[in-house]
Amino acid sequence: MPGIQSTFLAMDTEEGVEVVWNELLFTDKKAFKAHEEKIKTMFEQLVLVDHPNIVKLHKYWLDVKDLKARVIFITEYVSSGSLKQFLKKTKKNHKAMNARAWKRWCTQILSALSFLHSCEPPIIHGNLTSDTIFIQHNGLIKIGSVWHRVFANALPDDLRSPIRIEREELRNLHFFPPEYGQKADGTAVDIFSFGMCALEMAVLEIQTNGDTRVSEEAIVRARHSLDDPNMREFILSCLTLNPDKRPTANNLLFHRVLFEVHSLKLLAAHCFINNQYLMPENVVEEKIKELDLNMVMAEIRREGRPGAQWRYSEVSFLELDKFLEDVRNGIYPLMNFAVSRPHALPRALSQPQEDPQKAKTPTPEPFDVETRKVVQMQCNMELNEDKTQWHLTLLLILEDKLHRQLSYDLLPTDNSKDLATELVHYGFIHEDDCEKLANFLENAFHKYRSPPLFPQHR
């Protein structure tokens, strides 16, 4: 990831997912200590940024020892690499960018920018390039390095030296507008950068002139190569040299070139997904069986000539299932149809650990079903300091050699069968392993818990 000295692919052993371990090293420990609270506050706020099209910052901590100091932070891993890598592969295979994919990707990037810009105060990305936009295996777009600009602005000059500014790379100079780096620059910086990303997505590659730097002539040629006048107008509006005349991210989301899905259809799909727990899993298939496919579902009446009719037989229900799956995965965000309002980012130091509103919701969270089998189980139980409650630590080794470690404070009413069933429900183990784990836990309970809690009387 741009701006980081050390980046590692890591495994979250609790969640069983791959994550990215980032390290930012500071050689001046004294200067770092002087600004430690500011760094903490900034990262606490970034942890609160939560949007399906933004790479999530999960956790951070400071490591201060000897003469050096480090900030370590764990971010989400996006499996299919950067947008730059994808465009290069597509160009290599002599393929053009699909117009529908271009619209979806632009919508998702703008949805993320609209969210950041509507925060109070606005968050300016300031480093948006095809290297800081990432793709997931299901086609979901996520923008990364959101921390970069916040970090650069929040810290004084004596602590900025570790941050490698992406603009220093010649190949990325064209992503930055003329006003970049000035004190008064604002959200319009990101709009210009987005316009260059949208242009690069449309043409796959903007040719360099031999020294890895993209020339103005190459950009002009790329713009003129666009066949769609709406696409050309959309991109040119983002690349306006005067930042005051550039549209906002929210306004761009309403541009005619991006309207692939009717807003009413999208709103209905989001309502369906949000309330799917009230419906059977195969609800679309069941509803189709009840329909008379010859029935007219819509009609346009015309004077003096036959009306245009649309029957259920003309609807592709397979496409409907695919569309709902895409909405569920975040491919079609609702952000552009919602009322724009500022998203407050409170000081996280005073933020409660759990949102009480979320805690009270009756809607169950969706869980992935575990398909891998458990090949080995290990268990340990220890009494707490008061000797009144047992703490259970369970290590599960799955067939792909992934380790999953779970811990839990046992209640007197807990039994092995219920615990195993709950682990299946939350997607931690395969359904076929439920009985095996229940028996394993029962033996562990008998071994650890019975003697001290139920002593034998002679």
Side-chain angles (χ1 to χ4, degrees):
M1 187 172 287
I4 307 288
Q5 287 100 342
S6 300
T7 304
F8 307 94
L9 186 61
M11 179 63 71
D12 183 335
T13 54
E14 288 185 9
E15 298 294 332
V17 294
E18 289 179 308
V19 292
V20 179
W21 174 298
N22 307 276
E23 292 186 5
L24 199 55
L25 180 65
F26 296 86
T27 52
D28 190 341
K29 180 182 172 183
K30 187 176 180 181
F32 180 86
K33 290 291 286 182
H35 304 291
E36 189 172 341
E37 285 305 312
K38 183 178 279 189
I39 295 170
K40 282 182 180 178
T41 301
M42 183 201 66
F43 269 96
E44 291 283 0
Q45 289 181 329
L46 287 175
V47 167
L48 296 176
V49 174
D50 193 7
H51 188 278
N53 300 117
I54 297 176
V55 174
K56 179 65 179 168
L57 174 61
H58 291 301
K59 193 175 287 188
Y60 82 96
W61 62 92
L62 310 183
D63 179 24
V64 184
K65 59 185 178 182
D66 301 327
L67 298 175
K68 296 179 182 179
R70 289 187 305 167
V71 177
I72 299 166
F73 56 102
I74 307 299
T75 56
E76 178 184 3
Y77 172 59
V78 189
S79 55
S80 294
S82 70
L83 178 62
K84 173 74 80 177
Q85 293 167 333
F86 178 87
L87 295 176
K88 276 189 175 180
K89 288 177 187 175
T90 307
K91 177 82 172 177
K92 194 175 181 181
N93 294 331
H94 306 289
K95 294 178 181 176
M97 169 62 76
N98 180 281
R100 288 180 66 188
W102 181 87
K103 291 178 182 181
R104 291 177 191 175
W105 289 6
C106 285
T107 301
Q108 292 175 65
I109 297 168
L110 286 170
S111 181
L113 289 179
S114 180
F115 176 86
L116 293 174
H117 294 173
S118 63
C119 288
E120 190 58 51
I123 295 178
I124 301 167
H125 189 287
N127 192 31
L128 191 69
T129 71
S130 52
D131 281 318
T132 59
I133 298 173
F134 300 91
I135 307 173
Q136 272 191 337
H137 64 280
N138 60 3
L140 190 67
I141 286 282
K142 288 180 178 277
I143 66 172
S145 295
V146 172
W147 62 273
H148 187 280
R149 178 55 174 261
V150 182
F151 204 96
N153 284 350
L155 298 182
D157 292 334
D158 57 346
L159 274 179
R160 288 186 197 172
S161 55
I163 303 172
R164 176 172 58 82
I165 298 176
E166 189 68 5
R167 197 184 185 200
E168 292 174 0
E169 292 196 17
L170 289 176
R171 69 184 180 129
N172 285 320
L173 271 177
H174 62 289
F175 286 101
F176 299 90
E179 77 274 13
Y180 181 84
Q182 298 176 13
K183 289 184 179 179
D185 65 351
T187 56
V189 166
D190 290 339
I191 301 302
F192 186 96
S193 300
F194 163 75
M196 290 306 309
C197 291
L199 179 60
E200 194 169 47
M201 285 191 294
V203 300
L204 296 181
E205 183 183 19
I206 304 174
Q207 294 292 334
T208 60
N209 60 1
D211 60 358
T212 71
R213 182 172 179 173
V214 175
S215 66
E216 185 62 37
E217 293 78 13
I219 295 170
V220 171
R221 281 197 304 271
R223 292 195 316 226
H224 285 308
S225 70
L226 299 173
D227 296 325
D228 186 337
N230 286 330
M231 185 185 289
R232 192 185 306 119
E233 189 269 329
F234 174 83
I235 291 172
L236 286 176
S237 69
C238 299
L239 301 180
T240 303
L241 293 181
N242 184 346
D244 296 331
K245 293 187 177 179
R246 289 177 209 145
T248 64
N250 192 62
N251 288 341
L252 285 168
L253 283 164
F254 288 97
H255 194 282
R256 57 189 174 277
V257 79
L258 295 186
F259 272 84
E260 181 190 352
V261 180
H262 193 282
S263 56
L264 186 59
K265 179 181 178 181
L266 188 57
L267 180 61
H270 275 271
C271 288
F272 177 85
I273 296 301
N274 292 337
N275 296 283
Q276 199 170 6
Y277 71 99
L278 297 170
M279 307 168 195
E281 188 177 350
N282 57 344
V283 62
V284 175
E285 185 182 341
E286 291 300 319
K287 287 292 180 186
I288 295 168
K289 291 177 183 176
E290 299 172 9
L291 290 175
D292 176 3
L293 297 182
N294 290 318
M295 192 166 67
V296 176
M297 67 178 296
E299 181 179 6
I300 301 174
R301 293 178 179 175
R302 297 166 177 168
E303 287 187 18
R305 55 185 175 136
Q309 292 184 338
W310 195 22
R311 301 180 185 276
Y312 281 104
S313 57
E314 298 175 69
V315 180
S316 174
F317 295 105
L318 289 175
E319 285 186 11
L320 178 58
D321 266 332
K322 177 66 170 66
F323 174 66
L324 289 171
E325 184 65 27
D326 286 343
V327 171
R328 188 180 292 108
N329 290 333
I331 304 297
Y332 295 105
L334 194 60
M335 184 74 186
N336 46 327
F337 301 110
V339 177
S340 178
R341 64 184 187 277
H343 302 273
L345 285 182
R347 295 283 176 185
L349 298 175
S350 61
Q351 180 82 353
Q353 290 297 313
E354 187 177 13
D355 186 346
Q357 203 168 11
K358 288 184 180 177
K360 292 176 184 176
T361 177
T363 308
E365 293 292 328
F367 302 105
D368 292 330
V369 176
E370 180 57 78
T371 57
R372 296 162 297 187
K373 299 288 185 70
V374 176
V375 295
Q376 190 177 347
M377 303 177 186
Q378 295 176 22
C379 171
N380 184 52
M381 288 174 60
E382 294 177 348
L383 280 168
N384 63 8
E385 293 180 2
D386 309 1
K387 306 293 182 185
T388 58
Q389 191 176 26
W390 286 98
H391 182 75
L392 169 70
T393 304
L394 184 64
L395 177 67
L396 305 175
I397 301 176
L398 305 179
E399 57 188 2
D400 60 353
K401 306 304 179 187
L402 178 72
H403 291 53
R404 178 166 280 165
Q405 184 170 312
L406 308 168
S407 60
Y408 177 67
D409 289 321
L410 285 168
L411 300 172
T413 55
D414 285 331
N415 63 70
S416 57
K417 188 175 180 180
D418 288 346
L419 288 175
T421 303
E422 194 169 355
L423 290 177
V424 172
H425 172 73
Y426 288 106
F428 286 112
I429 64 170
H430 194 286
E431 188 177 5
D432 293 350
D433 289 324
C434 185
E435 187 175 349
K436 182 169 67 173
L437 180 61
N439 293 335
F440 176 78
L441 288 174
E442 188 62 32
N443 291 334
F445 291 174
H446 183 75
K447 174 183 174 184
Y448 287 97
R449 194 162 62 172
S450 297
L453 295 185
F454 310 100
Q456 296 282 338
H457 295 285
R458 295 185 180 179

